[in-house]
């Protein structure tokens, strides 16, 4: 099925460990986004890539880095995980804004 | 900074009744708005959108109303069904922002009583 694919779906990390969340879309969208979702706080934008070759910070970028590997793929890296980064992470992509974002199914990350 | 907020964290309705979920936004430059539905364990799904040059838009059983004067929008669901139980988010953006960033509200959980 066409859409946004995120891996892994679940992950448990120890404090200080690093990991990369992967995201790929097959809709030829220009823009891609990483959000985190915490209880009662909606979705907050971490980083985004308006087009291939560009990345920019969102509302809550501290502790994260991103790479727009090509038009399809946009990865999110945690260099030294902290318990405050325990959250559900969503990747999304957008072509024309008229059609909104397409979201992946999320990665549930727990940092202990 | 700009914000988007929903008025109620939880809304409980009787099956068959109409549901109204409200949202307020702060940025006067926002000119594009979307409602999303998120079921447990899934990513948000697009429901309906509206541009600022409209004040009403209808879909299948859903209607979005936009009041730019008071920076308020609402989602109305007609004849609410058990399958409508989910968390609903409103989001706002500016068409002038080429990055198309969406700012999300905190969500309203809709509970449908049988």
């Amino acid at each position: 099925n066409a859409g946004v694919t995120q891996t892994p779906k679940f992950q448990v990390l120890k404090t200080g460990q690093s990991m990369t969340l992967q995201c790929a879309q097959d809709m030829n969208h220009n823009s891609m986004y990483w959000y985190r979702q915490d209880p009662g706080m909606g979705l907050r934008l971490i980083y985004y890539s308006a087009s291939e070759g560009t990345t920019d910070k969102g509302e809550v970028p501290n502790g994260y880095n991103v790479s727009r590997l090509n038009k399809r793929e946009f990865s999110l890296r945690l260099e030294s995980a902290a318990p405050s980064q325990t959250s559900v992470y969503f990747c999304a992509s957008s072509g024309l804004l008229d059609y909104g974002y397409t979201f992946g199914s999320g990665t549930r990350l727990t940092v202990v | 900074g700009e914000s988007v907020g929903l008025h109620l964290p939880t809304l409980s309705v009787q099956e068959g009744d109409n549901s109204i979920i409200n949202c307020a936004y702060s940025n006067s430059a926002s000119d594009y708005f979307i409602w999303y539905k998120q079921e447990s364990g899934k990513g948000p799904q697009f429901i309906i959108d509206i541009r600022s040059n409209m004040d009403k838009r209808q879909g299948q059983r859903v209607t979005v109303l936009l009041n730019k004067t008071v920076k308020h929008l609402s989602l109305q669901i007609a004849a609410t069904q058990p399958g409508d139980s989910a968390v609903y988010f409103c989001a706002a953006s500016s068409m002038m922002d080429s990055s198309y960033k969406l700012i999300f509200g905190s969500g309203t959980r809709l509970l449908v009583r049988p």
Side-chain angles (χ1 to χ4, degrees):
Chain A
N1 292 336
V4 178
T5 302
Q6 289 184 237
T7 56
K9 292 189 184 302
F10 301 94
Q11 184 72 48
V12 178
L13 289 179
K14 293 182 179 179
T15 298
Q17 286 186 316
S18 62
M19 79 161 294
T20 299
L21 281 65
Q22 306 288 352
C23 175
Q25 53 92 7
D26 58 6
M27 296 169 287
N28 201 36
H29 284 168
N30 285 330
S31 303
M32 298 185 73
Y33 312 83
W34 277 105
Y35 284 85
R36 60 178 288 174
Q37 184 174 34
D38 301 301
M41 298 192 70
L43 291 100
R44 292 183 292 169
L45 183 64
I46 305 171
Y47 269 94
Y48 65 98
S49 171
S51 61
E52 185 179 357
T54 69
T55 60
D56 284 285
K57 296 178 181 179
E59 301 172 70
V60 288
N62 292 344
Y64 305 94
N65 284 300
V66 291
S67 295
R68 183 74 183 266
L69 305 171
N70 47 54
K71 191 170 186 179
R72 290 186 65 249
E73 298 172 288
F74 188 39
S75 63
L76 178 71
R77 183 161 179 84
L78 287 71
E79 290 291 352
S80 179
S84 61
Q85 294 178 304
T86 293
S87 189
V88 181
Y89 291 85
F90 287 100
C91 177
S93 68
S94 175
L96 297 173
L97 187 59
D98 282 0
Y99 301 98
Y101 287 10
T102 300
F103 281 87
S105 57
T107 295
R108 185 174 295 277
L109 175 67
T110 302
V111 183
V112 298
Chain B
E2 61 182 300
S3 66
V4 176
L6 279 84
H7 294 180
L8 289 175
T10 303
L11 176 66
S12 179
V13 300
Q14 191 73 36
E15 181 179 354
D17 287 351
N18 296 336
S19 303
I20 300 176
I21 301 171
N22 295 302
C23 181
Y25 62 96
S26 65
N27 188 355
S28 298
S30 295
D31 54 13
Y32 181 68
F33 306 90
I34 308 178
W35 281 97
Y36 285 90
K37 173 185 180 183
Q38 186 177 26
E39 296 174 294
S40 181
K42 297 183 179 179
Q45 290 180 291
F46 174 94
I47 301 174
I48 191 168
D49 61 356
I50 189 168
R51 293 193 189 188
S52 60
N53 61 352
M54 304 171 68
D55 54 19
K56 181 179 180 179
R57 192 171 187 201
Q58 289 184 288
Q60 188 176 12
R61 282 201 307 118
V62 295
T63 300
V64 55
L65 299 178
L66 176 62
N67 185 330
K68 295 180 288 295
T69 302
V70 296
K71 299 201 220 32
H72 178 273
L73 68 158
S74 66
L75 176 70
Q76 300 179 5
I77 304 173
T80 311
Q81 302 170 358
D84 295 327
S85 293
V87 178
Y88 291 81
F89 294 94
C90 64
S93 182
S94 170
M95 300 291 280
M96 296 300 293
D97 183 350
S98 61
S99 67
Y100 301 145
K101 294 193 303 293
L102 285 174
I103 304 299
F104 283 82
S106 55
T108 290
R109 181 174 297 279
L110 178 64
L111 302 173
V112 181
R113 303 189 304 273

